[in-house]
């Protein structure tokens, strides 16, 4: 296994087995969940990456996106991909690598270059690497490349031509829950690899959102709200993404609408690492509770532009409403509230696109440890926010998908029975206050635009 992704994955698996006092023989299956757009190109012959990975928030492909969009605009291929042409997605990153890294272009011309998101890289290594490794990706990850046709679930030759991507670089697209291979890494040999989902789809699966109209929001580095729309893709007219939710074996795929927010928990990290305002992430809640409200301060963290529902790469982060009265408590509170406000923007767009009225929202992810943020989210949405017993549902979803494929679980109904509620945050904010907050939030959004 090469690179820290591969090595740390194997070490983590072995450490988890040791901690649980288990052996590889005790495992029924393994599932993978990964950040979906981070892009890797490696050599089929040597197994070595040909360049550093380009991560999901990397903005260097902005000019490529503008050039490809042309006069038709960023939605010119939305009907085929469900996505706008923006730097977020993997296809733009792959094109940048081919256009700017001679080693990548040379290997591609010679048929030696393999492309993948992190799931592909891990599966190739876990299945043998240079010794017969399988070049695979699942439908959820493939749906984040701008290269897969959202209707056929196949690589689209016209899209590959548009981005000048050699099709032989691309992995085979497989189901999210299916027995794919047995792991060949020493010390883990023989364990079936049978579940693969992008991180947000894994959370949708882990939250058991198997019915049309069920939704979840994951609060991690960013925030990602997904709504199950059934077996037919629903195109968005309000700035959301049409994506594959999951595919079980030979069953029809299940689609989702998604609202992606780039900066959620990462903003708390920014307070810690860039401003040294806190020593650790939990301290932000204590700081936010030191003041009764945001004091008129709003923080829009458009560090990588604005994602859904705006999709403005010319946006930049702003803190507005500052007076001499404002202190670090107000900035901390504005930090937490910004996550909730961004979620509301996506939530409102989702209700319009799906023509549904969501009555509650399931939430998960590391930031859900912050109860102040969750209460404000319930107040801002004016619906109950439901926290599950297991908040790290991304990992749970990968385990569910893997277990379902090998018969550990009989069907999705059994998975739904295993989902348990931990707590509910009910809205308690007056309508007038909510409306005032949102009016000011929209003003703050306007201040972020047209910086480039």
């Amino acid at each position: 296994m090469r690179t820290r992704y591969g090595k740390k994955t194997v070490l983590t698996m072995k450490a988890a087995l040791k901690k649980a006092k288990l052996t590889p023989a005790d495992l029924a299956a393994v599932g993978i969940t990964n950040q979906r757009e981070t892009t890797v190109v490696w050599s089929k012959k040597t197994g070595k990456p040909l360049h550093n990975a380009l991560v999901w928030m990397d903005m260097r492909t902005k000019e490529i996106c503008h050039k490809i969009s042309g006069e038709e605009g960023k939605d010119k291929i939305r009907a085929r991909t469900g996505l706008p042409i923006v730097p977020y997605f993997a296809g733009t990153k792959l094109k940048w690598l081919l256009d700017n890294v001679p080693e990548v272009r040379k290997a591609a011309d010679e048929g030696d270059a393999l492309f993948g998101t992190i799931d592909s890289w891990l599966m190739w290594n876990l299945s043998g690497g240079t010794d017969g490794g399988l070049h695979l990706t699942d439908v959820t990850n493939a749906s984040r490349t701008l290269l897969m046709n959202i209707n056929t679930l196949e690589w689209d030759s016209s899209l590959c031509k548009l981005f000048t991507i050699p099709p032989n670089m691309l992995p085979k697209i497989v189901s999210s829950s299916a027995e794919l291979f047995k792991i060949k890494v020493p010390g883990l040999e023989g364990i079936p690899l049978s579940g693969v989902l992008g991180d947000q789809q894994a959370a949708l699966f882990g939250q058991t959102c198997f019915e049309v109209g069920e939704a979840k929001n994951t609060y991690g580095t960013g925030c990602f709200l997904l709504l199950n729309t059934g077996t037919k893709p629903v195109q968005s007219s309000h700035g959301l993404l049409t994506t594959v939710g999951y595919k079980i074996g030979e069953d029809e795929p299940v689609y989702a609408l998604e609202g992606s927010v780039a900066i959620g928990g990462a903003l708390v990290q920014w307070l810690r690492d860039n401003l040294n305002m806190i020593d650790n992430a939990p301290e932000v809640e204590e700081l936010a509770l030191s003041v009764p409200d945001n004091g008129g301060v709003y923080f829009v963290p458009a560090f990588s532009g604005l994602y859904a529902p705006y999709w403005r790469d010319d946006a930049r982060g702003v803190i507005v409403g500052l007076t001499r009265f404002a202190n670090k408590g107000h900035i901390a509170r504005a930090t937490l509230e910004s996550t909730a406000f961004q979620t509301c923007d996506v939530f409102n767009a989702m209700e319009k696109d799906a023509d549904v009225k969501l009555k509650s929202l399931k939430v998960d992810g590391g930031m859900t440890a912050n109860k102040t943020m969750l209460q404000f989210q319930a107040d801002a949405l004016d619906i109950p926010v439901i926290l599950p017993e297991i908040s790290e549902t991304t990992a749970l979803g990968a385990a569910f998908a893997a277990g379902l494929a090998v018969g550990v679980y009989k069907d999705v109904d059994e998975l739904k029975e295993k989902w348990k509620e931990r707590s509910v945050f009910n809205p308690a904010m007056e309508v007038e206050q909510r409306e005032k907050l949102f009016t000011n939030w929209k003003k703050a959004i306007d201040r972020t635009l047209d910086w480039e």
Side-chain angles (χ1 to χ4, degrees), residues 424-444:
V424 178
F425 296 81
N426 290 302
M429 183 180 286
E430 296 294 331
V431 174
E432 184 177 340
Q433 182 184 359
R434 184 182 302 112
E435 291 177 348
K436 180 180 179 180
L437 287 169
F438 272 100
T439 297
N440 289 336
W441 170 253
K442 292 299 184 182
K443 289 179 183 178

Side-chain angles (χ1 to χ4, degrees), residues 113 115 135 155-157 160-161 164-172:
F115 152 78
H135 191 205
W155 300 121
D156 189 307
S157 59
C160 290
K161 185 176 181 181
T164 62
I165 306 297
N168 62 358
M169 294 182 68
L170 305 179
K172 178 183 177 182

Side-chain angles (χ1 to χ4, degrees), residues 27-30 177-180 192-195 399-409:
L27 295 185
V30 168
S177 178
E179 190 165 347
L180 301 174
L193 192 295
S194 55
F400 277 172
L404 189 64
V406 298
V408 173
Y409 309 111

Side-chain angles (χ1 to χ4, degrees), residues 268 271 275-278 283-299 319 321-338 370 372:
V268 176
L271 293 185
L275 298 189
N276 297 317
M277 188 179 290
I278 53 176
E283 282 184 20
V284 74
E285 184 170 21
E286 181 181 347
L287 197 56
L289 290 172
S290 70
V291 293
D293 53 42
N294 66 15
V297 177
Y298 294 80
F299 196 164
I319 303 175
L322 292 172
T323 65
R324 286 196 67 182
F325 165 76
N327 60 43
K328 60 184 180 180
H330 296 107
I331 293 175
R333 198 169 191 97
T335 295
L336 298 182
E337 291 182 358
S338 74
N370 194 305
T372 302

Side-chain angles (χ1 to χ4, degrees), residues 7 22 103 205 269 284 335 380 395 445:
K7 291 177 181 177
L22 298 173
E103 294 85 356
F205 210 86
Q269 296 170 350
V284 74
T335 295
I445 288 287

Side-chain angles (χ1 to χ4, degrees), residues 388-449:
E389 191 173 83
I390 299 176
S391 61
E392 293 296 343
T393 51
T394 302
L396 182 63
F400 277 172
L404 189 64
V406 298
V408 173
Y409 309 111
K410 184 174 66 174
D411 51 32
V412 296
D413 290 333
E414 183 178 351
L415 296 180
K416 288 184 78 73
E417 291 175 3
K418 292 188 176 296
W419 184 92
K420 303 295 180 185
E421 173 187 299
R422 182 197 300 175
S423 55
V424 178
F425 296 81
N426 290 302
M429 183 180 286
E430 296 294 331
V431 174
E432 184 177 340
Q433 182 184 359
R434 184 182 302 112
E435 291 177 348
K436 180 180 179 180
L437 287 169
F438 272 100
T439 297
N440 289 336
W441 170 253
K442 292 299 184 182
K443 289 179 183 178
I445 288 287
D446 289 341
R447 303 300 193 274
T448 71
L449 304 177

